[in-house]
Amino acid sequence: MSITLWFFLLPFCLINLSTNIILATGHCLGHQQSLLLQLRNNLIFNSTKSKKLIHWNQSDDCCEWNGVACNQGHVIALDLSQESISGGIENLSSLFKLQSLNLAYNGFHSGIPPEFQKLKNLRYLNLSNAGFEGKIPIEISYLTKLVTLDLSSTVTSQHALKLEMPNIAMLVQNFTEIKVLHLD
């Protein structure tokens, strides 16, 4: 199995194993598709390198889009890894049923948005090598259902993520279900 396929399947496997959710495609609810298209339109990404976002369109069921998984029409997982996304990311909080989010290997070059705290159902969050920089916001600690959190980076620079305030104890104090934590 290729590494790319493994990175794509891992979040969905973790969700399925840890919450007994049967991932079903089904028809995407209209408002979910609208939210995803709005998210896509607000993202800055390299369309020549995109293998997922470039194919999202109004005419296809969003539950069939590459990088999207649904349960009963609700988007529960987004894998936007390796999409050459830069800039910021907005409007994720409107996808309240989101359980898995993979933004690894992008180039955001901004701070982690505090609005991530609104994603209360997240069980899997992968921000590894996503280009986020600055302090890790305390709001990440409000994601109490996290089973896997990956904030690792191979970049060693002054623009990398910093774990200062909150410190490690403050960051993990609410993670009662955490099984995998990558901070390297």
Side-chain angles (χ1 to χ4, degrees):
M1 182 181 307
S2 76
I3 284 213
T4 303
L5 182 60
W6 175 249
F7 278 116
F8 179 72
L9 291 176
L10 180 63
F12 304 118
C13 292
L14 286 172
I15 288 172
N16 197 19
L17 291 173
S18 60
T19 63
N20 296 322
I21 291 174
I22 298 171
L23 294 179
T25 50
H27 294 289
C28 183
L29 299 173
H31 71 282
Q32 296 281 286
Q33 184 153 335
S34 297
L35 291 169
L36 288 174
L37 288 172
Q38 182 181 8
L39 171 68
R40 179 197 183 276
N41 292 337
N42 288 333
L43 291 175
I44 300 168
F45 64 97
N46 185 333
S47 59
T48 60
K49 294 182 179 181
S50 173
K51 298 201 184 322
K52 300 168 193 164
L53 291 168
I54 195 69
H55 299 290
W56 290 11
N57 62 64
Q58 191 74 40
S59 61
D60 295 329
D61 183 344
C62 73
C63 292
E64 300 295 324
W65 293 346
N66 191 4
V68 176
C70 298
N71 185 16
Q72 297 179 348
H74 290 278
V75 175
I76 59 165
L78 279 180
D79 179 356
L80 299 179
S81 61
Q82 300 180 351
E83 283 295 289
S84 299
I85 301 170
S86 60
I89 189 161
E90 300 173 8
N91 299 326
L92 278 175
S93 62
S94 30
L95 297 166
F96 287 119
K97 295 195 180 224
L98 201 61
Q99 296 177 19
S100 174
L101 178 60
N102 186 349
L103 297 174
Y105 295 95
N106 282 294
F108 286 99
H109 303 295
S110 64
I112 297 173
E115 79 165 359
F116 275 27
Q117 73 176 327
K118 295 178 184 173
L119 299 171
K120 298 287 186 191
N121 292 314
L122 269 186
R123 298 188 60 74
Y124 175 89
L125 179 59
N126 186 348
L127 303 179
S128 65
N129 296 293
F132 287 112
E133 49 192 44
K135 292 181 182 179
I136 298 170
I138 188 69
E139 288 83 2
I140 293 290
S141 72
Y142 302 157
L143 303 174
T144 60
K145 293 183 180 179
L146 280 178
V147 174
T148 300
L149 174 61
D150 191 341
L151 298 173
S152 61
S153 176
T154 55
V155 176
T156 54
S157 75
Q158 63 186 20
H159 300 293
L161 283 173
K162 296 176 177 78
L163 186 59
E164 298 171 347
M165 239 3 224
N167 59 28
I168 188 74
M170 292 170 68
L171 180 68
V172 301
Q173 69 185 348
N174 298 324
F175 293 162
T176 58
E177 298 184 38
I178 200 83
K179 302 258 188 284
V180 179
L181 179 62
H182 295 282
L183 299 173
D184 50 320

